[in-house]
Amino acid sequence: MISKGATWNSNSCRIKFARRFVSALLHMRNRNTRPGSLTIEGVRTHTQRIKIAAYLSMAQAVGSRRAWSRAVLSKHGSRARRHSRMGRSSVGLKKTRVIRSYPPGELGQAKKLRQLVPGGKTMDMCSLLEETAHYIKCLATQVKVMQTLADNFSK
Amino acid sequence: MLLKDDRQISGEGAVGSSPNAKRRKRVSDYNNSPVSPQQNAEGEMEKDLSGQSSDVQKEPDEKKPITEQNPGSNFRGKQTGKQGKNASSADGFKENYIHVRARRGQATNSHSLAERVRREKISERMRLLQELVPGCNKITGKAVMLDEIINYVQSLQQQVEFLSMKLATVNPEQNVDIEQILSKDIINSRSDTRAILGFVPGSSSSHRFHRGTFQGTLPSISSTTPKYPLLPQTVLDNELHGLFQVGFDSCPAVDNLGSNGHFKPEL
């Protein structure tokens, strides 16, 4: 089932993400002059920033092809807003689509899934499942890359 | 009148499948549950999709064997058998009934088609997701599958948080060669998600532990996650097995980094 095309796509996704993430990490490290590295709050803030950088670099690696990546980019990156020329401005969409009756039949689980997947609140069930599939794939690669990074850094 | 009741009852089973107000109003007194609604619905759907009112006359004939199968209504089956012959002759009498059915078919034709297409799409996506989420091959059913998906996404996000914390606390080594790490990284992280699943229970428990007493766990991050250092071993093992098969896949990627000749001796 996994054809060459699929592995090539996932590999390029992984490479792009790895590059961006590592450069973001280095950038953050250079910026952080390490006074508060041992305080709890300092580490917590640093953790939050790293987490956001991870999601952002993943979304940037994916680009604007996917609805969830667009949602992440519009939520976090100001650079991305200037770049993204796609017709979707999620702010406007949110205003018009906030009052949306969820389609019946799936109940609480679809609601939870919408909360988990970024940008899932304004999606119908069909596209929600599709976005979830892609999001899971990218999350898995993200976790793998971060894991090996942490391993390499802590050796 | 008895005949008419039977006809109504034989068609009654289809009510449960589609909410048509007209159909419900037609039913007067109705005690027995003649046929399983699904069977009737199937027959009905087929007829709806295949033809319009011209096929309606065949419907009672088709329903005849279905009603006969029902143990509870044997004599009714015989009655419908009689009706089957009378159907064509008594068309005028039953005209309004068939008319309702046809109208129902026509009215919900696009609806049923669209719904069926939608359901097909959703089930196809669910199958895709089933392949993505590990350990879900035996699960059939949307509800359980959705639960598994939600759990998996939550666990992945927890892992991201835990790893970002780990990356935040690690000391930066000044001499890291980015290219080398990336190449090792890309080759190493091609393992399957089994390694990640093994990591999850450790991560969730230690994560909760970290939130509570952070100072105490700073030195013990490595000790509370005993599975964690084991993972690269499994990763490498899996990697070695899979490397020869997918080596030609990774070659174009690794060539970009210019370290094609390096990774093998490293491993």
Side-chain angles (χ1 to χ4, degrees), chain A residues 4-20 57-58 60-62 65 137-138 141 145, chain B residues 186 190 249-250 252-254 256:
Chain A
K4 270 194 209 177
T7 50
W8 171 238
N9 273 339
S10 64
N11 209 18
S12 67
C13 176
R14 183 183 303 148
I15 293 174
K16 284 189 218 165
F17 166 68
R19 279 184 179 281
R20 283 184 204 258
S57 37
M58 193 49 166
Q60 279 170 359
V62 167
R65 279 176 273 143
K137 206 169 53 153
C138 293
T141 51
V145 168
Chain B
I186 283 149
R190 208 191 259 268
D249 278 337
S250 62
V254 173
N256 286 341

Side-chain angles (χ1 to χ4, degrees), chain B residues 48-265:
Chain B
D48 283 343
L49 290 176
S50 61
Q52 307 292 340
S53 52
S54 58
D55 280 336
V56 168
Q57 293 178 8
K58 287 187 203 159
E59 278 180 327
D61 291 337
E62 289 236 337
K63 296 225 183 289
K64 188 182 33 164
I66 296 175
T67 56
E68 273 175 5
Q69 283 170 15
N70 202 351
S73 63
N74 271 336
F75 83 96
R76 282 187 203 276
K78 287 181 196 162
Q79 291 253 327
T80 51
K82 274 192 208 166
Q83 282 177 34
K85 290 176 197 165
N86 293 337
S88 49
S89 61
D91 247 356
F93 173 57
K94 309 231 178 1
E95 187 66 49
N96 42 5
Y97 186 69
I98 295 174
H99 205 45
V100 166
R101 198 180 296 199
R103 217 181 303 157
R104 169 180 170 269
Q106 278 173 1
T108 59
N109 199 8
S110 55
H111 276 288
S112 57
L113 270 178
E115 266 197 40
R116 180 173 286 198
V117 164
R118 179 176 167 269
R119 249 179 273 138
E120 289 273 328
K121 263 206 233 172
I122 286 186
S123 56
E124 185 185 325
R125 307 260 159 92
M126 295 288 290
R127 259 179 276 139
L128 267 179
L129 278 168
Q130 207 170 13
E131 284 164 21
L132 270 184
V133 180
C136 281
N137 300 324
K138 300 170 188 163
I139 293 181
T140 50
K142 266 201 296 192
V144 187
M145 194 60 217
L146 276 177
D147 279 334
E148 282 296 314
I149 292 169
I150 289 174
N151 282 338
Y152 190 56
V153 171
Q154 276 174 341
S155 74
L156 282 178
Q157 285 177 344
Q158 273 178 3
Q159 279 182 32
V160 167
E161 177 142 6
F162 178 69
L163 283 170
S164 63
M165 190 186 304
K166 181 150 174 125
L167 280 172
T169 60
V170 88
N171 289 326
E173 295 157 14
Q174 310 297 333
N175 306 329
V176 288
D177 185 10
I178 302 281
E179 297 295 329
Q180 193 186 31
I181 285 187
L182 274 181
S183 67
K184 238 202 262 178
D185 170 16
I186 283 149
I187 307 305
N188 286 349
S189 46
R190 208 191 259 268
S191 74
D192 50 352
T193 51
R194 279 194 298 261
I196 292 185
L197 267 191
F199 173 62
V200 165
S203 82
S204 51
S205 59
S206 53
H207 186 55
R208 268 181 251 126
F209 185 48
H210 286 155
R211 276 227 184 101
T213 62
F214 194 71
Q215 267 175 339
T217 57
L218 261 179
S220 62
I221 280 181
S222 52
S223 62
T224 50
T225 58
K227 290 181 197 166
Y228 198 61
L230 288 179
L231 281 174
Q233 307 288 333
T234 59
V235 165
L236 280 174
D237 282 339
N238 288 330
E239 193 37 46
L240 280 175
H241 289 307
L243 190 59
F244 298 116
Q245 295 159 9
V246 300
F248 57 90
D249 278 337
S250 62
C251 272
V254 173
D255 272 337
N256 286 341
L257 304 174
S259 61
N260 194 7
H262 293 307
F263 64 83
K264 272 180 187 163

